[in-house]
Amino acid sequence: MDLPPTSPAQPHRPPRPRLPLVDVARGVAIVAMVIYHFSWDLSFFGLVATDVATAPGWRLFAQMIAGSFLGLVGVGLVLAHGDGIRWRQFLRRLGVIVLAAAAVTLGSYVLFPESFIFFGILHAIALTSLLGLAFVRLPSILTAAAAAIAFALPSIASSPEFNAPGLLWLGLATRVPSTNDYIPLLPWFGCVLSGIVIARFFLRRPSLPGWLRQEAPGAVGRSLVFAGRHSLAIYLLHQLVLLGLLWAFVQVAQPARTTPFQRSCARACVDNGSDAATCSRYCSCASDAITRLDMWDKMNANSLQPQERQQLSGAFRQCRAGAERPAP
């Protein structure tokens, strides 16, 4: 008996050619991410005064990077599957991303158990890639409406009921969990849907604009294309390299971690109305207390336990009382 032929419902479709501009955009995003993480690492090791994890400008920078990555996920879905889903290619890529996300969760749990990454950018890319398939061939107006809903839902539908650990991935909680990377489904799925709309706007034309197909010029352009095409490997490896190099530097050079803290502390103290001499005494005492209690790493990583926070607060109160005591 002859075997049945391959189903005609799934004809072989050659992959679309890569667009250099998309690779360049992804390369720019990965370079920006490396810059952010290097700055975060400097802050974590106490080598700069700025708290990168909480500073508004740095937080906005991080959000722009995440949004650009997810927007490019939407563009990639249309490029790869806009004329029909290539399931084998999609599932292979999805499996790699899921494994990479699991590795990030495990690695961050080992390094930062109090703020490990349970739903970061890779987790978001995996889930939104799967959900985004449903929109790659829908009318663009429906996809745009879905994007608007995704952006709006956290503002109008957040509830304490979503604060349960098992629901934090949705993005509808009323608290921000303690984690080093948090990219929940909402509102970030809106970026993926926006990327789908933008890609379909250009790809529905009879021929692509020339600037979309143009090769990236120069060494910088070629480097960005390379980074864009290997963004996952760079994402997985760069923090290991950066953290390792900075850890080695701190062990060898033993830089004064108290200096950035004392500058930041003194500035905040003076802004709150105290005189410079009092602030100098207080901040010097506070940095000595952090050293004595061996809490620099945990404080920089924002991973202090409640009892440790209480202990540190008590030491700071004693420092404040001593600094404000009149000199004999």
Side-chain angles (χ1 to χ4, degrees):
M1 180 184 295
D2 293 334
L3 293 175
T6 303
S7 171
Q10 294 289 335
H12 174 71
R13 288 179 295 271
R16 292 180 185 235
R18 297 187 73 104
L19 297 182
L21 182 63
V22 175
D23 288 324
V24 167
R26 194 177 290 111
V28 170
I30 203 74
V31 169
M33 182 198 65
V34 171
I35 292 172
Y36 173 80
H37 282 162
F38 181 64
S39 303
W40 188 96
D41 295 341
L42 290 174
S43 176
F44 171 73
F45 283 107
L47 299 175
V48 294
T50 304
D51 184 358
V52 171
T54 59
W58 282 105
R59 287 178 62 84
L60 176 61
F61 185 47
Q63 291 169 350
M64 291 172 63
I65 295 169
S68 65
F69 271 119
L70 291 168
L72 289 167
V73 167
V75 172
L77 286 174
V78 174
L79 288 174
H81 310 290
D83 57 354
I85 298 174
R86 296 169 172 83
W87 283 108
R88 180 176 298 178
Q89 173 190 339
F90 175 80
L91 292 175
R92 185 188 305 119
R93 176 179 176 275
L94 182 65
V96 170
I97 294 173
V98 168
L99 289 175
V104 167
T105 295
L106 179 60
S108 64
Y109 184 79
V110 172
L111 294 173
F112 312 105
E114 302 302 324
S115 55
F116 74 97
I117 299 169
F118 64 89
F119 206 87
I121 186 66
L122 289 183
H123 306 73
I125 288 175
L127 179 58
T128 58
S129 294
L130 185 60
L131 297 177
L133 281 181
F135 292 87
V136 292
R137 302 188 72 185
L138 286 181
S140 294
I141 188 66
L142 293 180
T143 306
I149 292 171
F151 285 127
L153 273 177
S155 299
I156 61 178
S158 295
S159 168
E161 296 179 0
F162 294 103
N163 290 347
L167 298 177
L168 288 173
W169 62 274
L170 285 170
L172 296 176
T174 56
R175 68 177 180 89
V176 177
S178 177
T179 176
N180 288 330
D181 187 21
Y182 181 51
I183 309 294
L185 177 64
L186 300 170
W188 295 101
F189 188 38
C191 295
V192 176
L193 296 175
S194 298
I196 291 174
V197 172
I198 292 170
R200 293 198 64 198
F201 173 78
F202 287 106
L203 294 179
R204 71 183 180 185
R205 300 182 179 187
S207 61
L208 291 176
W211 54 270
L212 269 178
R213 292 180 277 104
Q214 186 175 0
E215 292 293 332
V220 173
R222 290 192 296 273
S223 298
L224 290 174
V225 168
F226 177 86
R229 292 181 178 180
H230 300 86
S231 55
L232 180 59
I234 295 172
Y235 177 86
L236 291 174
L237 295 176
H238 80 284
Q239 269 293 63
L240 295 176
V241 174
L242 293 177
L243 285 170
L245 290 175
L246 286 176
W247 180 86
F249 171 76
V250 168
Q251 302 310 306
V252 173
Q254 292 293 324
R257 305 171 81 180
T258 61
T259 301
F261 168 80
Q262 289 188 22
R263 284 199 302 264
S264 176
C265 172
R267 185 164 55 247
C269 178
V270 170
D271 289 344
N272 286 332
S274 298
D275 62 88
T278 298
C279 289
S280 178
R281 292 193 298 270
Y282 166 71
C283 293
S284 178
C285 176
S287 65
D288 289 344
I290 298 170
T291 300
R292 184 178 69 254
L293 297 171
D294 193 23
M295 292 187 182
W296 281 112
D297 289 338
K298 286 191 172 184
M299 192 180 74
N300 288 331
N302 194 28
S303 61
L304 290 169
Q305 297 290 332
Q307 64 271 21
E308 292 172 328
R309 292 182 183 277
Q310 204 169 35
Q311 187 179 13
L312 204 54
S313 295
F316 287 170
R317 284 194 296 271
Q318 291 180 359
C319 288
R320 170 64 70 180
E324 293 177 346
R325 189 177 301 124

